[in-house]
Amino acid sequence: MRDTKAPQRTSFVTIVLLSLLATALFFVLFSTPDYTPAQKLHRVAPWYIGQTETELPLQTEKTAGATHRITAVLPALSHADCLIFHTENLRVSVSVGDTVLYETPAIPPHTTLGDEWHLVFLPMESSGKTVAIDSTVLYPAASQFINAVYIGSRADFLREMLSRKLASYLVSLLIVLMGVTYLFTGRPVSRKLNVRAPVSLSLLFILLGLWSATQTEVPDLLYGKTVLSQLLSYATLPFAAAMVAFFLCTLPAPRWLKVVYRCIGYAQLVIGVLAIAGETFHFAAYAEILPHLWYCTLALILLFLIQLPSLVKEYQTHSYMMLGLVCLAGTIVMDVVSVHVGTYDYGRNTRFGLLWLSLLLSVQYWRQMRESIKLADEAEVMRRLAYQDTLTGLYNRLALVSDQEALLSRHEGCVGIVQMDINNLKPINDQFGHEEGDALILRAAKAIRQAFGEVGTCYRIGGDEFVALITKNACAATYQTCAQRLAEASQQHNRGQ
């Protein structure tokens, strides 16, 4: 007996091996953080705290309101040189001697500054002088010290950073596009093929794709820091966590676990609304509310591990999605860990996990659609065999009964019923054989279809019996026209034409 599941197992094993290979290539090719410019920029070093040389980033404990000053001697400068460095939720001031070259604008309380690249123009007369950078911690849980400081032109910096980050930005937009595709093509496809991505999954791709796009910092580099970019960087995360919970709720799981998922989902929606309101009305910043989101993420991952046995029982249906979710969960954990060890690279790992999950889901839905199309074709063949006369191609008695019941239930005006038969069919069968009788039936069916096909439906309900249902303009004039057509077709047959 042929094993029909063997090709499916082989295909899944191939996908698993490709996933492992893609993950390995990802870490080999992109193991270096993509936010560190190096080619045409000069890295400033060493840095001092007072008279003591120090390494960046600072290893000092973060305390809200604490200000840290680092100093360094500037090298020889050209006319277009800028001091370039990156901060996260730090108020900074740059000065050379007693001259303040740059200072973060004053902000209201409970306001998130977020990730910022600072490009401070350096006058040429600053060459050889000491530059001081003062940084004030706003939110200990969401502030990152300066990692490195560079000197170079603004044009070189933007050119190099955009060339490094553009691919990640395009991947993020691809994730958004796939989410939009799932969202707007799901309903038409599901009506025909009974295959549809959950709305929560589509929204998850859109939200995390937008978040990932802002994490590449390409929009900020091109257009500067905006309210919209801040919103997408922070406020999308609790809504994305809610979509994860709602999506996991659509998968096989114990009832109590689905209840927990719903509670987490609604709680994250509330947190998202509060975060936006808090930042807007300055009673709680994004950076004060959202650090706790990582605990929700870890909770969802642990709950997913509890759910995993239920999914394994139906692995043939959800195998590709399970593989993608495991991959995504692993990359999210890596980003969470990197936040706490200070090597966070702006969602690079999560971006890879999202892309791989979306590709695996596309494979899964393509396979399901292919299977649904196959089943639909088989169902159409069975329906045709059940309702169609095999000799003439007209509908049969069963189709007539079904159509009559449908017409009676709709109560749509008048319907004409014409019943016909073939004279002397039995003598023809007896004298000339059933082949001649079948040929006569086929010619009669053709004549009836020509006469009544434009205004109704034709049926063969017995050996030599036919019925026509006139559903369009069912009146005496229509009947007379059809009868005349039938008579002309019969005369042509009798004349042998």
Side-chain angles (χ1 to χ4, degrees), residues 248 257 260-261 264 293-306:
L248 293 176
L257 190 56
V260 174
Y261 279 143
I264 292 176
L293 184 65
W294 297 115
Y295 299 108
C296 170
T297 302
L298 292 176
L300 287 173
I301 291 173
L302 293 176
L303 291 173
F304 173 69
L305 294 177
I306 297 174

Side-chain angles (χ1 to χ4, degrees), residues 22 47 64 89 91 129 141 159 166 186 191 212 241-242 244 249 309 339 359 375 385 414-415 460 469 487 491:
W47 289 91
N89 290 309
R91 291 189 62 185
K129 295 182 179 180
R159 189 181 302 113
L166 189 59
R191 287 175 179 172
S212 178
V244 171
C249 195
V339 167
L359 293 176
L375 293 175
L385 292 174
C414 297
V415 176
R460 182 192 177 202
L469 286 182
Q491 290 174 5

Side-chain angles (χ1 to χ4, degrees), residues 113-166:
L113 287 176
D115 302 295
E116 294 181 288
W117 279 102
H118 304 273
L119 282 73
V120 182
F121 176 72
L122 295 172
M124 291 186 62
E125 56 268 22
S126 300
S127 300
K129 295 182 179 180
T130 299
V131 63
I133 302 179
D134 296 300
S135 55
T136 303
V137 176
L138 295 180
Y139 311 106
S143 296
Q144 297 293 334
F145 286 126
I146 298 171
N147 187 64
V149 182
Y150 303 90
I151 288 179
S153 70
R154 177 186 178 89
D156 288 340
F157 167 75
L158 291 177
R159 189 181 302 113
E160 184 173 346
M161 293 299 289
L162 289 175
S163 65
R164 284 173 175 261
K165 293 173 175 286
L166 189 59

Side-chain angles (χ1 to χ4, degrees), residues 199-275:
V199 174
S200 55
L201 181 64
S202 304
L203 294 177
L204 174 63
F205 279 133
I206 294 172
L207 290 170
L208 286 183
L210 291 172
W211 169 79
S212 178
T214 61
Q215 293 297 289
T216 65
E217 296 185 313
V218 169
D220 292 345
L221 292 172
L222 293 176
Y223 311 113
K225 205 71 175 178
T226 62
V227 175
L228 178 60
S229 65
Q230 286 284 76
L231 181 71
L232 295 178
S233 295
Y234 289 94
T236 54
L237 292 178
F239 294 106
M243 294 304 109
V244 171
F246 292 144
F247 170 64
L248 293 176
C249 195
T250 65
L251 304 178
R255 180 172 297 180
W256 68 268
L257 190 56
K258 292 191 175 187
V259 173
V260 174
Y261 279 143
R262 290 192 185 96
C263 292
I264 292 176
Y266 289 124
Q268 289 303 311
L269 291 178
V270 172
I271 290 174
V273 173
L274 288 176

Side-chain angles (χ1 to χ4, degrees), residues 32 35 56 68 76 82 112-113 147 205 233 237 313 317 333 388 393 412 449 455 479 488 491:
T32 303
Y35 62 85
L56 299 183
H68 304 274
C82 294
T112 301
L113 287 176
N147 187 64
F205 279 133
S233 295
L237 292 178
K313 293 179 181 178
T317 304
V333 168
Q388 195 173 48
E412 293 183 356
R449 186 185 288 113
V455 294
Y479 170 76
E488 291 174 354
Q491 290 174 5

Side-chain angles (χ1 to χ4, degrees), residues 323-376:
L323 180 62
L325 288 175
V326 169
C327 180
L328 177 60
T331 55
I332 290 175
V333 168
M334 293 176 63
D335 275 338
V336 171
V337 172
S338 66
V339 167
H340 292 283
V341 300
T343 60
Y344 180 58
D345 196 14
Y346 301 95
R348 181 192 60 183
N349 299 322
T350 299
R351 192 180 304 121
F352 169 77
L354 276 171
L355 178 62
W356 199 245
L357 172 61
S358 62
L359 293 176
L360 289 176
L361 280 174
S362 298
V363 173
Q364 175 174 300
Y365 289 130
W366 175 77
R367 289 173 62 89
Q368 290 180 355
M369 283 190 289
R370 186 178 64 177
E371 186 66 23
S372 296
I373 291 172
K374 180 180 177 181
L375 293 175

